[in-house]
Amino acid sequence: MILVTGGAGFIGANFVLDWLAQSDETVINLDILSYAGNRENLASLAGDERHLFVQGDIGDSALVTSLLIQYQPRAIINFAAESHVDRSIHSPEDFIQTNVVGTFRLLEAVRAYWSSLQGEVRQNFRFLHVSTDEVYGSLAKDDPAFSETHRYEPNSPYSASKAASDHLVRAYHHTYGLPVLTTNCSNNYGPYHFPEKLIPLMIVNALAGKHLPVYGDGQQIRDWLYVKDHCSAIRRVLEAGKVGEVYNIGGWNEKTNIDIVHTVCELLDELRARVDSKSYREQITYVTDRPGHDRRYAVDASKIERELGWKPAETFDTGIRKTIQWYLGNQGWVANVQSGAYREWLKRNYTGRVV
Ligand code: NAD
Ligand code: DAU
């Protein structure tokens, strides 16, 4: 079996669902169920014995150790993290606790477990750490895309905490020989994306008749990848990646934020027109920029394509259409995640921001 951490979040849940759709290998899913973790994402697995959900912290060494001893997983895929840049600006400490201290404690427990393994089981064991392109910092307009050897230049508390975790993972390989793999991926989008992030926030706000808050001039660039393509890349790295290596994952799909928002509006105009027949574009509002906002991310994903034969299956056009259709078909999910805590966050991040 495999142990997945953070498997009730956006990417982790998509990964678990895809894994069990393609394999009968059991998944132990360790997730603390923070505001971003949601068991409803895994509702289709209710009663499925191949999915063992455990609520707990990757930083709880006793719990992790007991899970490792009891279930003897052949691999660990570490998704668990605080993942939202804006929240890291408001509350950086949570990011240090989970992304740095939590990853450190997880590595320690895994090192002890792996050291106790013998022969082929020990040789075939893998620890796959899921990271982000944000650790590389920000690019100027004409800079080449991030390769795996691009220097680390994290700019937000979130990316600095992820960079620290990447360094720890690297060090555990270099120093102790732990068989690690690291992936650094660009911006994901798709089903179960929590509506604090750009694409789901725009869909949810548009349908609710609210402002579509674009930070700064909206000309910041991100590379976008459909979440299921990220999941297939992780499966491929787990299966065939070379121990100790880093693989960048991306969609070859650079877009400005304002282009993304326009696309969301156009698709909603087509699929769920406003009652007054005006475009959702009317709801776009430019607001005060994110402090320290990275201008451009771009991922050179040629290594994973060349060495492991992985390529994304979706284009942005097909992926964004599927995403919007998913949100239109899952209004109950959207309503359930908009708890009091969610409304509190919107107030904290957006009040006073509109210019
Ligand atoms: P998310 O915030 O949606 O989910 C994170 C999950 O981790 C939640 O279920 C949460 O409950 C759980 N968690 C948080 N702290 C925990 C702890 N201490 N112990 C156990 N579980 C804990 O995040 P996501 O967007 O699904 O991202 C998953 C991973 O992928 C993160 O490591 C993130 O840095 C990385 N990543 C995300 C993106 C993206 O675009 N979302 C892109 C590249 C990399
Ligand atoms: O690059 C990978 C990273 O992508 C992941 O590591 C992070 O976990 C993930 O959250 C994401 O980070 P970003 O900061 O790029 O994503 P976010 O959706 O928060 O913002 C995308 C862009 O949209 C960014 O330039 C900020 C902008 N934005 C965001 C929000 C929430 C707005 O203009 N308005 C908004 O209301």
Side-chain angles (χ1 to χ4, degrees), residues 75-89:
I76 291 163
I77 299 105
N78 183 32
F79 292 96
E82 289 291 336
S83 69
H84 188 31
V85 173
D86 292 315
R87 285 185 192 256
S88 84
I89 295 167

Side-chain angles (χ1 to χ4, degrees), residues 223-263:
D223 169 65
W224 293 92
L225 180 69
Y226 190 62
V227 63
K228 288 178 182 301
D229 280 326
H230 187 188
C231 296
S232 74
I234 291 170
R235 288 198 304 275
R236 185 66 191 138
V237 172
L238 183 64
E239 177 181 63
K242 203 166 147 220
V243 164
E245 292 284 314
V246 173
Y247 296 91
N248 282 356
I249 303 171
W252 301 104
N253 206 355
E254 287 183 59
K255 304 251 180 233
T256 62
N257 291 340
I258 192 64
D259 279 348
I260 295 284
V261 178
H262 284 158
T263 302

Side-chain angles (χ1 to χ4, degrees), residues 170-200:
R170 178 191 153 86
Y172 272 63
H173 173 64
H174 190 79
T175 305
Y176 305 112
L178 190 71
V180 306
L181 298 155
T182 299
T183 56
N184 293 85
C185 188
S186 59
N187 285 58
N188 285 214
Y189 66 99
Y192 305 111
H193 204 180
F194 194 77
E196 64 186 356
K197 309 278 171 67
L198 180 72
I199 289 180

Side-chain angles (χ1 to χ4, degrees), residues 82-86 131-134 158 162 185-188 193 196-202 212-216 218 220-224 257 261 287 290 293-294 297 349-350:
E82 289 291 336
S83 69
H84 188 31
V85 173
D86 292 315
S131 193
T132 170
D133 61 355
E134 300 204 18
Y158 162 68
K162 289 296 289 186
C185 188
S186 59
N187 285 58
N188 285 214
H193 204 180
E196 64 186 356
K197 309 278 171 67
L198 180 72
I199 289 180
L201 183 89
M202 294 298 153
L212 307 181
V214 174
Y215 296 164
Q220 303 82 6
I221 293 172
R222 299 289 181 266
D223 169 65
W224 293 92
N257 291 340
V261 178
V287 302
R290 171 186 280 175
H293 200 170
D294 285 338
Y297 305 143
N349 194 42
Y350 294 100

Side-chain angles (χ1 to χ4, degrees), residues 266-284:
E266 276 152 28
L267 280 167
L268 284 174
D269 288 343
E270 177 197 326
L271 298 169
R272 185 66 55 89
R274 271 174 40 158
V275 278
D276 63 4
S277 302
K278 290 186 177 164
S279 171
Y280 288 98
R281 280 189 186 219
E282 304 241 330
Q283 291 164 234
I284 294 174

Side-chain angles (χ1 to χ4, degrees), residues 41-114:
N41 299 352
L42 302 158
S44 61
L45 297 176
D48 189 327
E49 287 174 358
R50 301 169 305 160
H51 179 236
L52 305 174
F53 185 81
V54 179
Q55 184 173 3
D57 189 342
I58 56 165
D60 181 343
S61 308
L63 172 67
V64 174
T65 300
S66 77
L67 291 175
L68 294 173
I69 292 170
Q70 184 179 356
Y71 294 111
Q72 305 272 307
R74 70 167 177 95
I76 291 163
I77 299 105
N78 183 32
F79 292 96
E82 289 291 336
S83 69
H84 188 31
V85 173
D86 292 315
R87 285 185 192 256
S88 84
I89 295 167
H90 287 279
S91 311
E93 185 149 357
D94 297 342
F95 289 71
I96 304 305
Q97 275 313 326
T98 284
N99 301 358
V100 186
V101 180
T103 304
F104 159 70
R105 293 205 182 127
L106 178 65
L107 282 166
E108 273 294 271
V110 171
R111 177 166 77 91
Y113 163 68
W114 169 74

